[in-house]
């Protein structure tokens, strides 16, 4: 079930997010993600979780005007180790698109150049690569800019 994230979800999510191999590579810590999610609540960012038995085993964090001050930006989309491949990421992404469609025309996100499975996933969801940022987060990693128009008119 997809639902709005609650402050009580933060400790659980902050515990598993740093264990995901992608975020391990980026050096994300439990304390960092806890602080970032608390700040996201303060800024009224869109935070959704996939709830399984009362625990958030998937999360999406979207900044409604985080891309160029006019478009939505997905800051984080992740699924807990052991829960991948079950459609949780696709469900979180679809719900995010649904919730922001009325206020934003486009949605942007970054994907690491080495993360080929994420690139395929986003392409399957209708996203297109729109650019690249070499060394944007890590020195030897290019962040690929992915974009999707949420309106067909």
């Amino acid at each position: 079930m997809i639902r709005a994230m609650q402050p009580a979800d933060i400790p659980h999510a902050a515990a598993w997010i740093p264990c995901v191999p992608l975020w391990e590579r980026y050096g994300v810590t439990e304390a960092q993600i806890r602080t970032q999610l608390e700040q996201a609540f303060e800024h009224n960012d869109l935070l959704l979780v996939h709830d399984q038995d009362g625990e958030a085993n998937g999360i999406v964090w979207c900044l409604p005007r985080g891309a160029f001050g006019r478009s939505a930006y997905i800051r984080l989309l992740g699924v807990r180790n052991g829960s991948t491949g079950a459609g949780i990421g696709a469900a979180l992404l679809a719900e995010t698109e649904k919730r922001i469609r009325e206020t934003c025309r486009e949605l942007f996100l970054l994907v690491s150049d080495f993360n080929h499975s994420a690139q395929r996933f986003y392409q399957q969801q209708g996203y297109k690569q729109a650019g690249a940022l070499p060394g944007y987060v890590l020195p030897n990693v290019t962040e690929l800019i992915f974009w999707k128009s949420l309106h067909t008119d």
Side-chain angles (χ1 to χ4, degrees):
M1 166 179 85
I2 306 295
R3 62 170 173 79
M5 183 179 216
Q6 301 299 316
D9 294 315
I10 292 175
H12 178 69
W16 66 258
I17 288 172
C19 299
V20 172
L22 173 68
W23 292 307
E24 283 179 339
R25 184 168 181 169
Y26 281 81
V28 173
T29 67
E30 185 173 343
Q32 286 172 327
I33 198 66
R34 182 186 299 256
T35 299
Q36 290 172 353
L37 291 174
E38 289 168 352
Q39 291 172 347
F41 268 101
E42 291 173 16
H43 294 123
N44 293 316
D45 293 343
L46 177 61
L47 293 160
L48 302 173
V49 297
H50 179 272
D51 185 309
Q52 183 173 355
D53 301 323
E55 293 189 350
N57 66 341
I59 180 175
V60 65
W61 173 10
C62 181
L63 289 73
R65 296 279 181 214
F68 315 111
R70 72 174 258 151
S71 301
Y73 171 68
I74 292 183
R75 171 92 166 69
L76 183 149
L77 172 66
V79 178
R80 185 179 181 165
N81 290 336
S83 296
T84 58
I88 294 168
L92 284 164
L93 189 58
E95 184 64 23
T96 301
E97 292 173 5
K98 177 183 166 188
R99 290 187 185 210
I100 64 162
R101 185 171 273 117
E102 292 182 25
T103 58
C104 293
R105 298 183 62 82
E106 302 92 16
L107 186 55
F108 287 84
L109 55 93
L110 298 178
V111 179
S112 307
D113 61 354
F114 61 84
N115 195 344
H116 301 291
S117 61
Q119 292 170 43
R120 280 190 304 276
F121 168 76
Y122 289 115
Q123 288 168 345
Q124 290 168 350
Q125 306 305 315
Y127 287 77
K128 296 177 183 167
Q129 184 179 338
L133 301 167
Y136 184 64
V137 180
L138 293 178
N140 296 317
V141 175
T142 296
E143 299 299 333
L144 305 176
I145 303 167
F146 274 67
W147 164 83
K148 181 178 182 179
S149 175
L150 300 177
H151 294 274
T152 56
D153 54 14

